[in-house]
Amino acid sequence: MLSKKIEAALNVQIELEAASSNTYLAMASWAEVQGLTGVANFLYGHSDEERMHSTKLIKFVNERGGHGIVPSLKAPAAKYKSVTDVFEGVLKHEERVSQSINELVDLCLKEKDYATHNFLQWYVTEQIEEESLARTNVDKLKMMGGEKAALYFFDRDMAAIAAPTASAEKPAK
Ligand code: OFO
C-alpha cells in the first residue's frame, strides 16, 4: 500500500511525464510543418514514449492501492525559433525530469518504500539514456552552427534514430 505522501509525489511525476509527451508532440508538429520529417518522426516517437512513461506510473499507483490521476495540462509552445531551440528545450526538460525522479527516489528511501524505490530504477536508467541523447543532439547542432546543408544531414540522422525506436516501442500483440 502506498503512503499518501508517495502517492501524491507519484501523481506529480505522472503529470510531468504527460507534460513531456505534450511538449514533444508540439515540437514534432512544428518540425513537420518546417519539412523536417526526420526530426518530426523522432519527436513523435519520443512523445509516445513519454505517454507510456506516464501510463506506466498510473498503473503502478493503482496496483498499489492508490489512484493515478490524469492531469489537465498547460498547452505547450506551438512555435520554435529553430531546431537548436527545440533540442535545447528537450535537454532542459529531460534534466528537470531526471531531477524529479532523483527526488522521488530519495523520498522513497526516507519513507522506507522499497517497492516504489525498485520500480523507479527503470526511470533512473531511462533518464540516463534520454539526457545523453538530448545532449548529443544539442552538441551536433552547435557544431553545425546553423548551416542549412548540415541540417539536411541532421534530419536524415534523426530519421534513422526514429525508425528503430518506433518499431521497438510497438505494443506487443
Ligand atoms: Fe519520461 O523519460 Fe524523459 O522525460
Side-chain angles (χ1 to χ4, degrees):
M1 185 82 183
L2 287 175
S3 72
K4 284 288 159 210
K5 206 169 179 178
I6 298 278
E7 180 180 350
L10 288 171
N11 269 311
V12 169
Q13 191 63 33
I14 287 168
E15 181 171 355
L16 192 53
E17 300 286 349
S20 306
S21 176
N22 254 15
T23 299
Y24 300 154
L25 188 59
M27 289 171 167
S29 176
W30 174 84
E32 191 164 49
V33 169
Q34 309 305 309
L36 296 161
T37 318
V39 170
N41 286 343
F42 170 79
L43 290 165
Y44 279 130
H46 203 169
S47 168
D48 288 348
E49 276 185 37
E50 298 299 350
R51 186 181 149 82
M52 182 273 278
H53 297 173
S54 184
T55 308
K56 196 177 165 94
L57 277 158
I58 289 176
K59 289 184 173 174
F60 177 78
V61 171
N62 293 345
E63 217 175 80
R64 305 240 8 251
H67 187 184
I69 305 296
V70 176
S72 77
L73 301 167
K74 208 172 118 219
K79 289 182 182 159
Y80 299 86
K81 285 197 290 259
S82 62
V83 179
T84 308
D85 183 33
V86 165
F87 281 96
E88 276 175 344
V90 171
L91 177 58
K92 225 157 116 197
H93 197 84
E94 289 304 328
E95 285 171 347
R96 190 164 144 238
V97 172
S98 297
Q99 193 192 336
S100 169
I101 293 284
N102 288 344
E103 284 165 9
L104 251 178
V105 168
D106 207 41
L107 181 67
C108 289
L109 287 178
K110 280 191 189 117
E111 297 281 306
K112 297 192 178 0
D113 183 343
Y114 301 114
T116 305
H117 180 273
N118 186 43
F119 168 78
L120 288 172
Q121 296 314 303
W122 183 87
Y123 287 82
V124 171
T125 310
E126 183 72 12
Q127 281 313 119
I128 296 171
E129 275 173 37
E130 292 196 353
E131 255 194 63
S132 146
L133 181 58
R135 206 164 284 121
T136 305
N137 287 331
V138 169
D139 288 347
K140 277 189 195 169
L141 286 158
K142 281 192 178 150
M143 213 158 37
M144 285 158 43
E147 270 182 55
K148 281 249 161 68
L151 191 57
Y152 169 80
F153 290 106
F154 180 83
D155 189 58
R156 219 176 54 174
D157 280 6
M158 286 290 101
I161 298 174
T165 314
S167 55
E169 295 282 335
K170 265 192 198 137
K173 282 189 188 142

